[in-house]
Amino acid sequence: MATTAWADPPPLRARTDRYTRVAIVLHWVIAAAIIYNLTSGLLRDQLPRGFFALHISSGLTILILSVVRVVWKLMHKGLPFLPMAGWERWLARITHFLLYAAMLFVPWTGWVMISANPPAGSAGAAYAQAQSAQAATAAGKPAPVPRKPSLFWGLVEVPKIGPVADLGREPAGVAEQRAFHEQMEETHGTVAIMLLFLLVLHVGGALKHQFVDRQPELARMGIGRGRGGSG
């Protein structure tokens, strides 16, 4: 019995294939780290102090895994879009591009902030410490403890971006470096909010395709039945 063209369902392969296991693992690990970092960063003043402890390590992990994810994506053919309207396909492309850009840019600015401090043992570090002690004394507060190096998951010291750290190597550059640090801190927070918006848009689109359009969107990312794998 013949069927009309408009009644034909989408091709089975386009509906049921899933991404490769590597892509799925990277997706969910990066997603979990992003949720933690957005929460610990944007709500830092409202949450217990210890909740922020892994923020730097998690952020650098996001940066490293996002680079791996981009390379993997370039080396493997991605899945075709599920059946959707043209404007949805356009919006999905834009959202994915901006998501990847933010996933790289937000942790990179965090790394820049870590680097925007005078190198330990330098004349700039001694000058900055003396300035902080003087300001604390004037305010009737105890002198601040010298900054400890940031450790990556408590194992190795986070390397600093050389040109950024060298800005404050000498006392004359400390003020410029401090201003640059503040600028990066503001940029870091602003782009983090943009990342949050993109994440909400991405999740909302996935849920819409899954529950409204009745497409196996979640199966493509390892939740439910699907055949793998690509991308």
Side-chain angles (χ1 to χ4, degrees), residues 85-208:
W87 67 267
E88 289 180 299
R89 190 176 293 109
W90 174 84
L91 182 60
R93 286 196 178 101
I94 297 296
T95 301
H96 279 114
F97 175 80
L98 293 178
L99 259 176
Y100 277 108
M103 285 159 49
L104 294 168
F105 189 72
V106 174
W108 179 80
T109 56
W111 187 20
V112 171
M113 287 167 55
I114 297 171
S115 303
N117 290 286
S122 66
Y127 175 75
Q129 182 64 25
Q131 276 194 323
S132 298
Q134 184 178 6
T137 301
K141 299 179 180 180
V145 178
R147 181 187 297 271
K148 294 182 180 180
S150 299
L151 298 179
F152 183 63
W153 296 114
L155 300 175
V156 295
E157 184 176 345
V158 176
K160 292 188 175 183
I161 302 172
V164 178
D166 287 342
L167 284 174
R169 184 172 293 278
E170 300 298 331
V174 170
E176 179 186 358
Q177 187 184 61
R178 186 172 295 152
F180 181 65
H181 183 285
E182 293 175 356
Q183 180 184 359
M184 284 295 100
E185 186 173 9
E186 182 177 350
T187 301
H188 185 72
T190 300
V191 183
I193 293 174
M194 296 172 60
L195 175 58
L196 176 60
F197 172 77
L198 291 167
L199 188 63
V200 171
L201 191 62
H202 176 67
V203 172
L207 294 178
K208 188 260 185 186

Side-chain angles (χ1 to χ4, degrees), residues 29-150:
V29 172
I30 293 172
I34 288 175
I35 292 172
Y36 164 74
N37 269 49
L38 288 175
T39 303
S40 60
L42 298 176
L43 299 178
R44 184 176 183 179
D45 295 335
Q46 289 74 39
L47 294 170
R49 185 175 181 179
F51 192 77
F52 188 81
L54 300 177
H55 185 89
I56 292 175
S57 294
S58 178
L60 290 174
T61 300
I62 293 171
L63 178 59
I64 294 169
L65 294 184
S66 294
V67 171
V68 174
R69 179 68 182 102
V70 170
V71 172
W72 185 265
K73 188 176 181 68
L74 293 174
M75 294 174 60
H76 296 77
K77 184 179 179 180
L79 295 180
F81 280 111
L82 292 171
M84 64 180 72
W87 67 267
E88 289 180 299
R89 190 176 293 109
W90 174 84
L91 182 60
R93 286 196 178 101
I94 297 296
T95 301
H96 279 114
F97 175 80
L98 293 178
L99 259 176
Y100 277 108
M103 285 159 49
L104 294 168
F105 189 72
V106 174
W108 179 80
T109 56
W111 187 20
V112 171
M113 287 167 55
I114 297 171
S115 303
N117 290 286
S122 66
Y127 175 75
Q129 182 64 25
Q131 276 194 323
S132 298
Q134 184 178 6
T137 301
K141 299 179 180 180
V145 178
R147 181 187 297 271
K148 294 182 180 180
S150 299

